[in-house]
């Protein structure tokens, strides 16, 4: 697996810095996580285009700071309108990548239109309790900056139940033991509201004491 060096350089120098505008749950660390996970799933697919896999993951949340509720549409459009990418991809490939970015959101009503959409959608899912607790808190704080921590913990509990509960909307298109283990653990934590809030409070207070979040 090799990524075009010029493509990789362009994205690292021009696209990655833009993630500084996003909240902690959708920052460059998250993008690197999604890139690595995307490659893991892509390796199971014959004749996959790794430059496309990389680019989709690199752009998938780039528009989150503009409008979180429509970020998948905005991010797809930003990627598609980037004229520099036309040095590396055909119009057809750019359209496939745009659709994949549009389809990556967990709450999307439809199944992704291509294997590339299924890869980035699956790779975008949290697979550790810690990442889930942190991301749900920081995203909730961005949406409701005046909310108390206790209100944010309750919001996270409701949101994560909708996403990862027994009938949650989060979709997964590749078998992955790590994710299955995470799903079991998060569902156990979500089985009791007080238990969840206590766990998130403890973890967030630890992050605050280290100065990792405010």
């Amino acid at each position: 697996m090799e990524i075009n060096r010029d493509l990789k350089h362009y994205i690292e120098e021009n696209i990655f810095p833009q993630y500084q505008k996003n909240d902690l749950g959708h920052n460059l660390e998250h993008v690197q996580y999604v890139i690595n996970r995307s490659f893991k799933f892509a390796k199971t697919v014959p004749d996959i285009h790794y430059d496309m896999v990389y680019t989709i993951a690199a752009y998938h949340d780039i528009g989150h700071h503009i409008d979180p509720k429509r970020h998948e549409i905005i991010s797809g459009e930003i990627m598609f309108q980037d004229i520099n990418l036309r040095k590396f991809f055909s119009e057809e490939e750019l359209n496939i990548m745009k659709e994949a970015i549009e389809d990556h959101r967990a709450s999307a009503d439809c199944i992704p239109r291509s294997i590339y959409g299924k890869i980035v959608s699956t790779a975008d899912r949290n697979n550790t309790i810690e990442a889930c607790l942190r991301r749900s808190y920081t995203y909730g704080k961005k949406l409701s900056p005046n909310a108390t921590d206790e209100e944010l913990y309750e919001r996270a509990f409701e949101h994560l139940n909708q996403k990862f509960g027994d009938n949650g909307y989060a979709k997964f298109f590749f078998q992955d033991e790590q994710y299955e283990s995470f799903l079991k653990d998060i569902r156990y934590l979500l089985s009791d509201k007080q238990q969840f809030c206590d766990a998130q409070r403890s973890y967030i207070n630890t992050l605050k004491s280290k100065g990792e979040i405010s």
Side-chain angles (χ1 to χ4, degrees):
M1 177 194 70
E2 273 191 38
I3 305 302
N4 182 296
R5 279 191 306 174
D6 292 336
L7 171 66
K8 192 169 185 289
H9 178 76
Y10 171 72
I11 287 176
E12 289 177 345
E13 294 296 314
N14 298 278
I15 303 308
F16 286 170
Q18 296 189 42
Y19 278 92
Q20 295 176 9
K21 302 173 186 176
N22 284 358
D23 64 79
L24 291 175
H26 302 85
N27 61 6
L28 184 55
E29 182 180 347
H30 169 67
V31 170
Q32 294 286 8
Y33 164 84
V34 173
I35 289 172
N36 292 335
R37 296 272 289 166
S38 291
F39 286 155
K40 174 181 178 178
F41 300 127
K43 288 177 182 177
T44 69
V45 180
D47 302 319
I48 200 73
H49 192 322
Y50 283 102
D51 285 355
M52 290 175 65
V53 172
Y54 175 75
T55 303
I56 290 163
Y59 281 80
H60 85 280
D61 274 348
I62 195 170
H64 197 278
H65 68 280
I66 298 172
D67 184 353
K69 295 181 178 179
R70 296 185 64 254
H71 78 276
E72 71 279 13
I73 304 300
I74 296 169
S75 298
E77 193 61 32
I78 290 172
M79 185 283 304
F80 190 75
Q81 295 297 330
D82 189 339
I83 60 173
N84 294 288
L85 294 181
R86 278 158 173 74
K87 303 173 191 174
F88 308 103
F89 302 106
S90 68
E91 192 76 10
E92 180 183 2
E93 289 168 339
L94 288 166
N95 271 304
I96 291 171
M97 293 194 294
K98 179 174 180 285
E99 290 180 350
I101 294 171
E102 291 173 346
D103 293 346
H104 86 268
R105 194 167 183 171
S107 56
D109 294 332
C110 301
I111 292 175
R113 286 165 281 185
S114 72
I115 191 63
Y116 293 95
K118 291 179 179 178
I119 288 171
V120 70
S121 178
T122 304
D124 192 42
R125 305 295 159 258
N126 293 319
N127 68 354
T128 69
I129 296 293
E130 292 78 12
C132 217
L133 295 177
R134 177 172 182 160
R135 197 177 189 197
S136 60
Y137 174 84
T138 56
Y139 183 50
K141 195 170 183 64
K142 180 178 181 179
L143 291 179
S144 305
N146 296 321
T148 67
D149 278 358
E150 294 304 316
E151 289 171 336
L152 292 174
Y153 303 149
E154 291 201 14
R155 177 206 171 274
F157 174 77
E158 298 299 333
H159 170 69
L160 293 176
N161 254 311
Q162 293 173 9
K163 187 172 185 177
F164 295 115
D166 290 337
N167 297 306
Y169 60 73
K171 306 173 186 69
F172 208 76
F173 302 101
F174 292 84
Q175 186 173 0
D176 181 61
E177 291 181 2
Q178 190 176 12
Y179 180 78
E180 291 298 327
S181 177
F182 157 75
L183 200 58
K184 181 180 178 181
D185 291 342
I186 192 66
R187 285 177 175 172
Y188 171 75
L189 194 59
L190 290 167
S191 66
D192 182 272
K193 185 176 182 179
Q194 190 61 52
Q195 174 179 250
F196 173 85
C197 290
D198 289 346
Q200 190 170 44
R201 184 186 305 107
S202 176
Y203 184 61
I204 295 302
N205 285 340
T206 298
L207 293 179
K208 287 182 176 181
S209 69
K210 294 179 179 178
E212 294 186 22
I213 61 173
S214 57

